[in-house]
Amino acid sequence: MTDLPRPDAVATTRDLPVGLADLPLRVDAWVSGLRMDAAPQDGDVLLRLLEIGFLPGERVRVVARAFPAGDPLAVRVGRTTFALRRREAALVQVSTTAPVGEVVA
């Protein structure tokens, strides 16, 4: 008998939220929340992220990364594209599983 993971265990692992900075290019994801355990000096950044549309359930996608270090990232949220530093993007938690009721095109 082998120790292969069960299919339901793999699906659960895949659905865990990851930081937007770690999302592969051109993969649709949805905001699951912001990292509220961020450093106190990131409070203004968290507020700005909320103001520009990084709200739970919103569709996001990393469309480009600067060469060579990958900083900043071009991120599309809704119909708008923003440049975010990796440190800022890491504060946004995303999931590749669409929220209930979301139509995936």
Side-chain angles (χ1 to χ4, degrees), residues 34-98:
L34 297 179
R35 292 204 42 209
M36 293 314 200
D37 61 343
Q41 64 268 23
D42 288 330
D44 289 340
V45 175
L46 290 170
L47 181 59
R48 189 184 76 135
L49 290 169
L50 287 170
E51 289 173 344
I52 62 177
F54 289 93
L55 301 169
E58 194 67 41
R59 186 185 298 226
V60 294
R61 172 186 279 212
V62 176
V63 294
R65 286 190 169 84
F67 181 80
D71 195 16
L73 296 88
V75 178
R76 178 164 286 242
V77 57
R79 294 183 178 188
T80 308
T81 303
F82 296 97
L84 296 179
R85 296 281 177 202
R86 287 188 59 80
R87 181 181 61 77
E88 297 167 335
L91 296 174
V92 180
Q93 295 292 297
V94 298
S95 174
T96 56
T97 302

